[in-house]
Amino acid sequence: MKKEMLQTPAIMVYMDALEHNLKKYHDAAKAAGKQVWPMIKTHKSLEMIDMQEAAGADGYLCGTLDEAEALCKKGIKNIMYAYPVASDVSIQRVINLAKNSNFIIRLDNLDGAALINKAAADAGITIQYTIIVNAGLNRFGLKPDKVVEFADAMKQFANLKFVGVSSHPGHVYSATKHDEIAKYVADEKNSIATAVKGLEAAGYKLDIVSTGSTPTFWGSLDDENIKIYHPGNYVFCDYIQMSIDIAKEEECALAVYATIISHPDDETYICDAGAKCLGLDQGAHGNSAIKGHGYVKGHTELTIYSLSEEVGKIHADGPTDIKVGDKIEIIPNHSCSSANLTSYYIGVRGDEVERVIPVDIRGNSTTKNA
């Protein structure tokens, strides 16, 4: 079946680009003697986990406990959860994960640690944790020079085992051009180095030193301290990665396929893909380089300037050959958002539809755990 026959809107994944991206990142890490534990919130698909396994992933970082549980059920051993937990339900899920996998949680506060430690003691288990280091995003984590103090305080919790440090230099998404990325790489390296050196001087052994984002991956791959990298967006890439020259257009594997359905005036066109396909993200953490709500492939004169839930309004800046009935392909600003808005991807190779790939690790977990 040709892709032109697809019902629109459709969220497509170009398989050649996806396979290229997997090979590019995993081969580079292997050559550097490093491990990749991808952040899987980007794709939320067990089939893509299989592809990452084949490419050489050593473990996985999860953005939700649903994702962690799906990996555990699949038999994956090395599972890290990106955030602390504090609710009774989430803590019990962490207990179950720790019983059935090599599970690692990230922590940055004593109050939450006390809650988890009590539950672990009641269950008769020990839970591994890394300390979150604030690399500059100023979301989770401790300042690098406060990590030793926190590690010392954590010794009171007999059922929590310190295994290392983790960070996420997500503030790199404030970069508006490639030359600015080096600053965020330096933040990442320096924060990790301060934490590692302080902990080692205090006598701590670090089995895990993990960090990462797709934009900082290449600049930090040679770091002497970092052992594990957590790119997520690398599987698909998107307009944000294009805007800071981390990915070329042909490396953007995910695209929203849409049809022009109206032309209300000379400069305005409307397509049948809206916020429920593209999301409303115009640049994570303050990126001002993004123009509109996605990049229309082959039509630099077009800007998607407004989204309703089901349709997008497009402005033509000058002459265009686009017309009602034409199909367009849109590279989303943020592929993770688009991926979370669909239950399946249409896998395409060239112009041929190859297969449907389920997005089977998303959604609220209340019904699973009720």
Side-chain angles (χ1 to χ4, degrees), residues 109-185:
N109 69 93
L110 296 177
D111 291 338
L115 296 172
I116 300 167
N117 181 72
K118 182 181 183 305
D122 291 344
I125 66 168
T126 299
I127 297 176
Q128 301 175 101
Y129 75 92
T130 61
I131 298 173
I132 307 173
V133 179
N134 181 0
L137 179 57
N138 298 325
R139 187 174 62 184
F140 293 103
L142 294 101
K143 292 183 178 179
D145 60 355
K146 298 295 184 181
V147 169
V148 174
E149 179 183 343
F150 181 74
D152 289 343
M154 286 289 290
K155 289 179 179 178
Q156 66 185 288
F157 302 125
N159 291 80
L160 299 180
K161 180 183 178 183
F162 172 76
V163 293
V165 295
S166 299
S167 76
H168 171 54
H171 60 315
V172 67
Y173 286 107
S174 297
T176 59
K177 54 187 178 181
H178 189 79
D179 290 349
E180 295 174 0
I181 296 174
K183 170 190 178 301
Y184 302 100
V185 171

Side-chain angles (χ1 to χ4, degrees), residues 162-364:
F162 172 76
V163 293
V165 295
S166 299
S167 76
H168 171 54
H171 60 315
V172 67
Y173 286 107
S174 297
T176 59
K177 54 187 178 181
H178 189 79
D179 290 349
E180 295 174 0
I181 296 174
K183 170 190 178 301
Y184 302 100
V185 171
D187 287 348
E188 182 180 35
K189 288 182 173 182
N190 292 338
S191 61
I192 286 290
T194 298
V196 168
K197 289 174 183 177
L199 287 163
E200 288 180 341
Y204 287 93
K205 180 178 182 293
L206 288 78
D207 296 321
I208 289 177
V209 178
S210 79
T211 183
S213 69
T214 298
T216 62
F217 176 86
W218 299 102
S220 63
L221 196 56
D222 63 350
D223 188 79
E224 62 181 2
N225 295 301
I226 303 168
K227 301 173 183 177
I228 297 171
Y229 293 80
H230 299 298
N233 191 264
Y234 80 110
V235 293
F236 294 147
C237 297
D238 50 30
Y239 191 21
I240 293 174
Q241 306 296 343
M242 285 177 60
S243 75
I244 53 176
D245 199 25
I246 288 297
K248 301 179 178 65
E249 179 178 329
E250 60 269 24
E251 292 177 308
C252 293
L254 188 144
V256 175
Y257 201 39
T259 302
I260 301 297
I261 58 173
S262 183
H263 180 29
D265 61 56
D266 288 346
E267 296 180 347
T268 305
Y269 296 80
I270 299 177
C271 70
D272 60 359
K276 288 183 176 178
C277 287
L278 294 165
L280 292 169
D281 196 336
Q282 287 191 273
H285 309 307
N287 188 333
S288 61
I290 297 298
K291 180 183 178 184
H293 294 279
Y295 175 84
V296 184
K297 295 170 67 172
H299 291 281
T300 56
E301 78 280 6
L302 300 181
T303 300
I304 305 169
Y305 69 92
S306 177
L307 296 177
S308 301
E309 290 188 16
E310 309 295 354
V311 302
K313 295 173 72 175
I314 302 172
H315 175 76
D317 184 14
T320 182
D321 60 358
I322 207 78
K323 61 186 182 299
V324 171
D326 285 353
K327 290 186 170 65
I328 57 173
E329 295 185 30
I330 306 163
I331 297 174
N333 289 341
H334 190 183
S335 63
C336 303
S337 297
S338 291
N340 193 50
L341 291 168
T342 185
S343 296
Y344 57 87
Y345 308 117
I346 305 295
V348 175
R349 201 174 293 276
D351 289 329
E352 294 286 338
V353 173
E354 183 172 281
R355 66 183 187 270
V356 172
I357 300 173
V359 180
D360 46 9
I361 334 175
R362 73 182 182 103
N364 188 278

